[in-house]
Amino acid sequence: MKVIIAEKPSVARDLAKVFGNTTRKDGYIEGQGYSFTWAFGHLVQLAAPEAYGFKGWRIENLPMLPERFKLAVRQQRNGSGTADDPGVVKQLNVIKKLFDEATEIIVATDAGREGELIFRYIYYHLKCKKPFKRLWISSQTDEAIKNGFRNLKPGTEYDTLFFSAQCRSESDWIVGLNATQALSIAAGNRSVLSLGRVQTPTLAMICFRYLENKNFKPETYFQIAIWLNKDDLTFRALSVKNFKDKAAAQEILDKVRDIASGHAAGGLIQSVDVKPRKEQPPLLHDLSSLQQEANKRKGFTADQTLNLAQTLYESKLITYPRTGSRYIGEDVLAEVPELIENQEQHPLFGKQAAFLRTAKLNKRSVNAAKVTDHHALLPTNNIPGSLSPDLQAVYDLIAGRMLEAFHQECVKELTKITIESGSLFVANGTVIQSPGWRSVFNQKDDEKEDEENATLPKVIQGENLPIDKKDLLEKQTKPKPLYNEASLLKAMETSGKEIEDEELRQAMKNSGLGTPATRAAIIETLIKREYIKREKKLLLPTEKGLAVYELVKDKKIAQAELTGLWEKRLEEIRTGGSVAEFKNEIREYARTITSELLEAGKGLSGMMSDVPPEEGAVICPLCKKGVLRFREKAVGCSGYQNGCKFVIWRTMSGKKLSDNQITTLIEKGRTSVLKGFKSQAGNSFDAALFLSDGKVHFEFAPKGDAQKTVEGADS
C-alpha cells in the first residue's frame, strides 16, 4: 500500500479525487492500493524548556541551549497547565499505523520550507525509517497533480530544505525563549514581554518610524508659482529655488513680469527639453508584492490576502501562493498564451487579453535562474465561476498582473520647460504616447502629480508667453509617512533599507526580514501581543510596544540587518551551506542577548508602570503590581525577583485545586465549601478557603453552629 500524506484534509481529499479514491476512513481516505492521510498544521513541534530540565522562569536557567532538541506532540491548555492535544495524538496514531503498513511513503505537504518541516517532524517523532518520495507541485489542478506523481523525487533530494527549516525552527526557539524570559524576568515579570528573531526588529522598524514622524519638526519654505498661457492652454511653472525667508521670496515674486504688472508677455522660454521614456512592465507577483498591492487597492491586511490566495490555490484557480519569486522559466512561459486566452471573457481584462494573444510577449519576468522553490503567481487554466467579492479581487490582481507583465512597455514623453521671469521657473509634464501595460488597469502614473501638468502646449526656445497669474506658495517639509501594511511589507523585504528599484529589491530578498510566507504572521503576532495596533490603514506602536522598543533599540535583537543576514544564511543552507556554523552563531548570539537583556531589563519596571497587564491576567493580591503565573505545582507572583513571596500551592491537604478555584480565591478572597481535603490522620473533611495577609487559610463548620478557622493552609 502506498501512503500519501498531505498538509491538511482538504488537500488530501483533492489528491484522492484525482486517483478516484473516495472511501472515507477515520483520519484517512483509501482505495485502489493508496491511502491518503493528513496533518493539520504542525502536529509535532520542538519540546518546551521543561523537557530539558529548565523548570520555571529563572535567571540561573539562562541561556537555555539544549545540546539536542527534542520533539513533542502539539500541546493544548487545560485546567492544570498544558497537555498533549488529544486530536493530534489520535491523528498521529493513524499516521503511524499507515506508515507501518506502507510499501511506499509519498510526501504531499506544501512544497516549501514549512511544509517540509511539518512532515519531517512527524516522520522523526514516529521514528519511521522507511524511505519516502516527494511530490513537488506549484498548482493543485488535476493535470499538475498527475504530472507531479509521474515525476516523484527521492525524499533525500530535499534534505537541505529540511535542514534550512530545522535551523529556522531551532533558532526561533533559542532566540525567542531566551530573550523573552530574560527581559520578562529582569523587568519583574509583570507581563510576558515576548521577543523574537524576526518579530523584534520588525517592531523596532515600526517604533522608529513612529517616533521619527512624531518628533519631526516641519520647516516652512516658500515657492513661487506662475501660470502661463499659450493658445488658450494654461500651465503652471514653479520656481527652481525654494526660499526659507518669506521676504526674499516676496522680492522675487514682485519681479515676475505678469499681466497685472503691465507686461503682456513676461515669460521667456529659455529651453524646452523633451525626452522619450520607455517604462518596463512590473514583474509578476510573488506573495509579498500581491499583499502590498491588495493593501493599497483594497485595504486587505497581509493575513487576509494570504488566506484568500490560499483558498484560490486550493480551489485550483491560482498557482502556489507562498512563493518568493517573481519570475518564471521558459517551460512555464510556453503555457502563458493559453492562460492569457482564458482571460478574454473577463469583463475587466478581455480587451487587453485579446490584444496580447496576437502580440509579442514581454519576457522581463522570464528568468529560470531567479525561480526559487516555486515560480511567480499565475492563474491556472481553470476559469473561475462565481467568487465572493474578496476572492474575485485577489484573483483579478493576479490575473491582471499576468497581463501587465507580458504586455508592451508604456511609452511616455517627459517635457521640461525652463522659463525666465525675474527668476528661473520650471514646468514639467508627462504625455503618455502609448499606455502599454498601464492600459490593463487603466493605471495612471501619479508619482509626481502635484508637481506636473496634465498637458503642456507646444512652445519653442526664445518665445515669450503671457503670465496670467502668480502666487507665493507657503509649504512645509514632511516627515516620512507612518507604516501601513503595504509599506511595511516592502521595507521588510530589504531589512528596512529604502530601495525603490524593483530588481534591486529582488536581489535583496534573501536578506529580508522573514519570508513572504511568514511576514503576515509576524504582523499578526505583534498585534496579538499588543505591541502594535491597526488604526485605519496605519500600523502604530502601543505604549507597551514603545516601552519594549526603548529597552531593546540598541541591542542586537533589534537589528534588522543582522536578522536579514540570517535569512540569507538559511537560504544558503537550503543550497548546501554549513548547518553547524549557523547553529554555533545562533548559540553565541543567544548568550549575548540574554546578558544584554538581563542587564537592560532592570530599568523596565518603571517604564512599564503605565502599561496595562496582558489581557486576562490576574493581579497579585499581595504586592498589587505583579501578575500571577499559573504553573503545574503552584501559582506565584511574577514579581518574585522584586521580593514578592505570594504563592498558592496547587495541592493542599491532599486536594489539587483547579485554576477556577484559585482564581475565585484570589478575586473574591474566599471560595465556597470544597470537598475532598484530608487531614494528617487521613480523615476527609470539607472546608472553604480564604486569603488573609497573602496566606491561605481553611474555614469550616464542625458539628454545631460555631465556625472554626484553621491556620497554615498554605504549607
Side-chain angles (χ1 to χ4, degrees):
M1 179 187 67
K2 295 182 178 181
V3 175
I4 299 164
I5 179 168
E7 192 163 318
K8 57 178 70 172
S10 60
V11 176
R13 287 194 295 269
D14 286 343
L15 295 173
K17 285 177 185 176
V18 173
F19 282 78
N21 302 312
T22 56
T23 305
R24 288 294 303 269
K25 300 286 185 178
D26 191 7
Y28 66 104
I29 305 168
E30 72 170 7
Q32 301 180 33
Y34 289 90
S35 289
F36 298 82
T37 189
W38 52 81
F40 27 89
H42 287 270
L43 301 186
V44 177
Q45 57 197 10
L46 296 180
E50 289 76 13
Y52 311 98
F54 302 121
K55 300 290 186 181
W57 288 33
R58 303 175 187 276
I59 290 178
E60 55 266 29
N61 288 341
L62 303 179
M64 300 176 290
L65 301 171
E67 284 302 314
R68 285 179 63 87
F69 275 92
K70 300 176 183 179
L71 296 175
V73 174
R74 192 170 74 202
Q75 304 285 288
Q76 71 171 18
R77 288 194 171 276
N78 58 27
S80 59
T82 60
D84 291 351
D85 186 321
V88 169
V89 172
K90 180 181 177 182
Q91 187 63 16
L92 284 171
N93 288 334
V94 170
I95 296 170
K96 177 173 173 50
K97 174 180 174 292
L98 293 173
F99 280 7
D100 288 344
E101 298 170 353
T103 56
E104 184 176 309
I105 297 172
I106 298 170
V107 185
T109 50
D110 280 0
R113 193 165 76 181
E114 286 308 296
E116 191 69 20
L117 189 72
I118 285 170
F119 164 71
R120 296 285 186 118
Y121 275 1
I122 293 171
Y123 180 81
Y124 293 126
H125 176 72
L126 297 178
K127 296 181 171 55
C128 186
K129 304 291 184 183
K130 293 183 179 180
F132 54 89
K133 293 183 178 178
R134 191 57 159 104
L135 174 72
W136 196 268
I137 54 177
S138 289
S139 167
Q140 289 285 345
T141 63
D142 290 1
E143 190 55 38
I145 291 169
K146 289 175 183 176
N147 283 335
F149 274 100
R150 285 193 286 266
N151 294 283
L152 294 172
K153 301 290 177 63
T156 52
E157 289 192 13
Y158 297 89
D159 283 351
T160 57
L161 179 66
F162 166 64
F163 296 151
S164 173
Q166 184 186 40
C167 284
R168 193 281 307 155
S169 176
E170 292 181 4
S171 65
D172 283 350
W173 191 103
I174 289 172
V175 174
L177 290 180
N178 281 298
T180 296
Q181 289 200 19
L183 186 61
S184 301
I185 289 170
N189 271 322
R190 186 165 184 264
S191 62
V192 174
L193 301 175
S194 176
L195 300 181
R197 182 179 63 89
V198 181
Q199 167 194 326
T200 304
T202 304
L203 172 66
M205 284 168 51
I206 295 169
C207 290
F208 180 82
R209 177 63 62 86
Y210 170 81
L211 293 172
E212 183 183 41
N213 188 287
K214 181 182 177 182
N215 298 327
F216 181 82
K217 294 181 179 178
E219 293 183 4
T220 301
Y221 68 95
F222 301 90
Q223 229 178 355
I224 299 161
I226 59 174
W227 283 263
L228 302 99
N229 191 290
K230 170 73 184 288
D231 299 332
D232 294 325
L233 181 64
T234 300
F235 63 99
R236 186 181 74 161
L238 296 172
S239 56
V240 172
K241 184 180 177 182
N242 295 337
F243 301 88
K244 288 188 176 182
D245 182 59
K246 186 174 183 179
Q250 184 65 48
E251 187 178 335
I252 297 298
L253 180 69
D254 293 340
K255 293 179 180 178
V256 172
R257 303 183 295 271
D258 64 323
I259 289 174
S261 60
H263 295 84
L268 173 65
I269 306 299
Q270 284 205 337
S271 64
V272 181
D273 186 17
V274 181
K275 291 182 179 178
R277 179 185 167 195
K278 292 183 178 180
E279 187 182 25
Q280 290 283 354
L283 296 168
L284 290 164
H285 276 312
D286 66 356
L287 176 60
S288 188
S289 65
L290 175 68
Q291 289 168 320
Q292 292 171 45
E293 195 75 7
N295 184 253
K296 288 177 187 174
R297 290 176 178 266
K298 297 294 180 179
F300 293 164
T301 68
D303 195 49
Q304 274 181 293
T305 303
L306 174 56
N307 290 332
L308 290 165
Q310 184 69 23
T311 300
L312 290 170
Y313 171 65
E314 292 176 14
S315 303
K316 307 178 188 290
L317 295 174
I318 65 168
T319 58
Y320 186 68
R322 289 176 168 82
T323 177
S325 175
R326 301 184 68 177
Y327 296 89
I328 62 171
E330 291 283 352
D331 56 335
V332 179
L333 178 64
E335 304 170 14
V336 168
E338 186 178 351
L339 299 179
I340 290 173
E341 187 177 350
N342 288 343
Q343 301 299 322
E344 287 190 37
Q345 303 307 313
H346 195 291
L348 293 178
F349 310 135
K351 184 177 178 182
Q352 297 305 319
F355 167 79
L356 276 181
R357 196 156 58 86
T358 59
K360 183 180 178 181
L361 298 183
N362 190 305
K363 297 180 72 173
R364 183 177 179 231
S365 292
V366 183
N367 188 334
K370 294 184 178 181
V371 176
T372 50
D373 292 338
H374 295 276
H375 60 67
L377 271 163
L378 289 170
T380 66
N381 273 321
N382 294 329
I383 299 173
S386 178
L387 295 175
S388 71
D390 288 355
L391 285 170
Q392 187 69 54
V394 172
Y395 178 84
D396 288 351
L397 289 176
I398 295 167
R401 175 53 61 90
M402 175 186 69
L403 298 178
E404 287 181 322
F406 295 108
H407 215 295
Q408 296 177 333
E409 301 159 329
C410 173
V411 181
K412 303 176 178 180
E413 188 177 80
L414 277 61
T415 301
K416 178 181 177 182
I417 303 173
T418 304
I419 305 116
E420 187 279 325
S421 184
S423 186
L424 289 181
F425 297 82
V426 169
N428 291 302
T430 300
V431 177
I432 294 180
Q433 308 285 1
S434 173
W437 63 270
R438 286 190 176 276
S439 59
V440 175
F441 284 101
N442 195 25
Q443 190 177 173
K444 296 178 181 179
D445 184 0
D446 54 5
E447 289 179 7
K448 298 181 180 178
E449 188 176 354
D450 185 52
E451 302 293 326
E452 293 191 349
N453 295 277
T455 56
L456 286 172
K458 294 290 183 184
V459 297
I460 57 174
Q461 186 177 356
E463 187 174 4
N464 279 291
L465 297 179
I467 297 174
D468 292 343
K469 189 175 75 167
K470 61 182 179 181
D471 198 6
L472 185 63
L473 307 179
E474 183 174 326
K475 296 185 176 182
Q476 285 190 326
T477 54
K478 295 179 180 179
K480 291 177 182 176
L482 295 167
Y483 281 121
N484 56 32
E485 293 208 27
S487 59
L488 180 63
L489 288 167
K490 188 176 180 181
M492 289 174 76
E493 285 183 347
T494 53
S495 296
K497 292 182 179 177
E498 296 185 359
I499 299 174
E500 292 302 321
D501 183 83
E502 192 172 25
E503 297 203 45
L504 188 55
R505 282 208 321 276
Q506 284 291 303
M508 282 283 293
K509 276 207 164 184
N510 290 337
S511 300
L513 285 176
T515 66
T518 61
R519 288 174 191 138
I522 292 162
I523 295 170
E524 294 304 319
T525 296
L526 289 171
I527 291 171
K528 181 181 177 182
R529 288 175 175 161
E530 298 180 343
Y531 285 170
I532 66 171
K533 60 185 176 181
R534 287 191 180 94
E535 199 166 284
K536 296 182 179 177
K537 287 188 176 183
L538 298 176
L539 294 172
L540 303 177
T542 62
E543 289 299 318
K544 183 178 180 180
L546 286 168
V548 172
Y549 167 71
E550 283 299 321
L551 188 76
V552 303
K553 63 183 179 182
D554 298 322
K555 307 295 183 282
K556 278 190 174 183
I557 197 165
Q559 295 176 9
E561 286 191 46
L562 178 62
T563 304
L565 287 173
W566 283 344
E567 205 63 55
K568 186 177 182 181
R569 293 288 301 282
L570 290 171
E571 180 61 20
E572 289 170 354
I573 289 170
R574 191 186 70 83
T575 56
S578 172
V579 171
E581 283 184 17
F582 178 81
K583 288 187 175 183
N584 287 336
E585 284 181 27
I586 290 291
R587 286 169 175 267
E588 189 56 40
Y589 171 81
R591 293 185 183 97
T592 301
I593 60 166
T594 300
S595 175
E596 285 183 343
L597 293 171
L598 283 172
E599 182 60 33
K602 294 174 183 176
L604 188 61
S605 294
M607 294 169 62
M608 295 295 292
S609 59
D610 295 328
V611 178
E614 56 204 16
E615 186 178 350
V618 180
I619 302 297
C620 175
L622 185 60
C623 71
K624 311 294 186 186
K625 295 178 181 178
V627 295
L628 296 185
R629 297 282 175 240
F630 285 68
R631 308 297 188 197
E632 184 178 353
K633 293 183 179 180
V635 175
C637 179
S638 63
Y640 73 93
Q641 291 287 338
N642 295 329
C644 182
K645 303 301 183 184
F646 181 80
V647 65
I648 298 175
W649 298 102
R650 282 196 177 272
T651 301
M652 296 172 55
S653 296
K655 178 179 177 62
K656 189 168 186 178
L657 302 177
S658 70
D659 283 358
N660 287 339
Q661 289 166 340
I662 293 173
T663 302
T664 300
L665 174 61
I666 293 162
E667 292 182 343
K668 296 184 177 180
R670 65 188 305 114
T671 69
S672 59
V673 174
L674 305 176
K675 296 179 181 292
F677 294 106
K678 284 193 175 182
S679 68
Q680 290 181 349
N683 299 319
S684 296
F685 67 92
D686 303 339
L689 301 176
F690 72 94
L691 277 176
S692 177
D693 299 324
K695 293 183 179 293
V696 184
H697 307 271
F698 286 120
E699 183 179 80
F700 60 95
K703 291 179 181 179
D705 296 333
Q707 290 282 327
K708 183 178 179 182
T709 298
V710 178
E711 301 287 343
D714 55 322
S715 60

